[in-house]
Amino acid sequence: MSKKKAGLLGLLCLFVAALNVILLTHRSPLAQKAVFSLTLQSDVAQNVQVFYSEAKAFGASRSVEAPLKKTGEKVTLEFPVGMETEYLRVDFGSSPAQWNIYEAVLSYEGREIEVPLERFLKPEQAQQAGGIKEEGHAVAFDGEGDDAYLVISASMADFRPLAEAETRRSDWMKNIAAAVFFDLAFLILWKMRARALALPIEVFQNRQLILNLAKNDFKTKFAGSYLGIVWAFVQPIVTVLVYWFVFQVGLRAGDMGDVPFVLYLIAGIIPWFYFQDALSSGTGALIEYSYLVKKVVFKISILPMVKLISALFVHGFFVLFAVILFSCYGYYPDLYELQIFYYTCSMFVFVLGICYATSAIVIFFRDLSQIITIVLQVGVWMVPIMWNLNILPAKYHWVFKLNPMYYIVSGYRDAFYQKVWFWQHFDMTVYFWVVTIVLFGLGTTVFKRLKIHFADVL
């Protein structure tokens, strides 16, 4: 073994060892399996939302919503809450109503703790809740506006030892599985290093050509029109305005927790715009540049990447626009927003792997481009961009989290206003990269298998 190869192998072993230490020592947040049950009565049918926090810092990401459908009757609503909870904020609908609270209970794994009703009589904080008083065995008050709420203390201290033991057992299983997966992945990559490194080396060698082609692609996309590249920004802006008007003005969607709806919408739709544009244009890259595909000496594997880099110009503009808009609302740039680069790169690799497969298949099956258009039209509603996932029962959340774009959209929101680091979502990060690596491997394999026929078919 040459010194160069031995040195590379040594660095790789150190990296793998460090990664194994990180994976095996990772500790997840406590399992969110506690339930806050609230028995109440109202004369108006509307949704009740519960926010949970350890320090009265309430946000939409830590909230659960449940509908109160029957009026004039006692109804028990259940809200899954986090084990870190020290305070609960109960939002009593979005319209004036009379409320009676009969019972509040915290439960976990068959154990229950009753929350004294006195805490609702003398809440930590209150808003638009008038005439709070005790009536019989209930707490009665008037919800006087569209944002009535009460904040009470509700510690999970008694449940934490049980939750910690359960979480640690689960962590060991997941951590060992993740470490084994990545170790096997590195072994496979080392055995197939010549093929695995072929694409990165090819991209590096042709980096100037890729950049020039991407710039030219962006400029010529709207060549001949009077406004030119301005149209690249007009369509997304109009789309945002339409969604904003329909949901906030027409359907009167309120704030998404502690953030205005427009900010919630912008943070989620910006990565989706890029994914939509990159997947659509990347799929048709080989057909559009068919004259280059037919050239024997041209590296056609760079064409999907050209389209994805071209789409980054518009994406960069909208990220800058979002930073300015959030600043106007008081969310000033900080270190958390540097994660935008991480999530953008993650999305780039994810969509590139898909495009290698779709751009190759569409040459032989032209209907694929129409199928992708339909999938994108439906897909925007399968990611919580215009709506909040917490409106659905918690037991269904995992279905939406299987979509890798959920990780990206949530990541942009974490960077802009929720102020959460990506490694705090350890499970989701591992899952996203497992899916991305698999899709990238499948995509490049399909591309290599079919490329010998591209020139003949085109």
Side-chain angles (χ1 to χ4, degrees), residues 84-268:
E84 78 285 355
T85 300
E86 293 290 340
Y87 296 94
L88 294 170
R89 189 182 101 180
V90 185
D91 283 32
F92 295 89
S94 56
S95 60
Q98 293 181 338
W99 295 89
N100 292 317
I101 302 174
Y102 294 95
E103 186 180 38
V105 176
L106 291 171
S107 60
Y108 177 75
E109 296 294 330
R111 297 181 60 182
E112 293 186 352
I113 297 176
E114 187 172 349
V115 179
L117 291 181
E118 288 77 10
R119 296 182 185 178
F120 290 95
L121 281 172
K122 297 179 180 180
E124 300 280 335
Q125 294 176 7
Q127 177 176 289
Q128 297 180 0
I132 303 177
K133 59 184 178 181
E134 185 174 3
E135 287 189 357
H137 298 289
V139 173
F141 69 94
D142 295 326
E144 300 174 339
D146 60 358
D147 191 23
Y149 67 76
L150 299 175
V151 176
I152 64 168
S153 60
S155 177
M156 299 290 181
D158 292 342
F159 295 147
R160 282 178 191 142
L162 287 174
E164 286 177 354
E166 180 180 311
T167 302
R168 296 305 166 247
R169 285 194 298 269
S170 175
D171 273 350
W172 274 112
M173 294 175 63
K174 292 187 294 186
N175 293 353
I176 292 173
V180 169
F181 171 82
F182 280 106
D183 289 347
L184 289 174
F186 280 115
L187 283 174
I188 294 171
L189 286 174
W190 178 254
K191 290 291 185 180
M192 304 174 62
R193 58 189 179 278
R195 290 163 59 184
L197 294 175
L199 182 60
I201 292 173
E202 192 172 282
V203 169
F204 179 79
Q205 292 174 341
N206 295 276
R207 60 191 182 280
Q208 194 60 49
L209 174 61
I210 293 173
L211 186 59
N212 291 336
L213 285 173
K215 290 178 181 178
N216 184 66
D217 181 86
F218 180 67
K219 292 176 182 178
T220 57
K221 189 178 295 184
F222 302 96
S225 61
Y226 183 75
L227 294 178
I229 63 174
V230 173
W231 288 113
F233 309 102
V234 170
Q235 182 184 3
I237 290 174
V238 171
T239 303
V240 170
L241 290 175
V242 168
Y243 285 146
W244 170 81
F245 182 82
V246 169
F247 283 91
Q248 189 156 26
V249 179
L251 299 179
R252 299 186 180 280
D255 291 352
M256 306 301 282
D258 57 348
V259 67
F261 176 79
V262 65
L263 298 185
Y264 182 87
L265 173 63
I266 287 291

Side-chain angles (χ1 to χ4, degrees), residues 268-285:
I269 207 168
I270 283 178
W272 181 263
F273 278 153
Y274 175 77
F275 175 75
Q276 180 176 263
D277 186 18
L279 182 56
S280 298
S281 58
T283 297

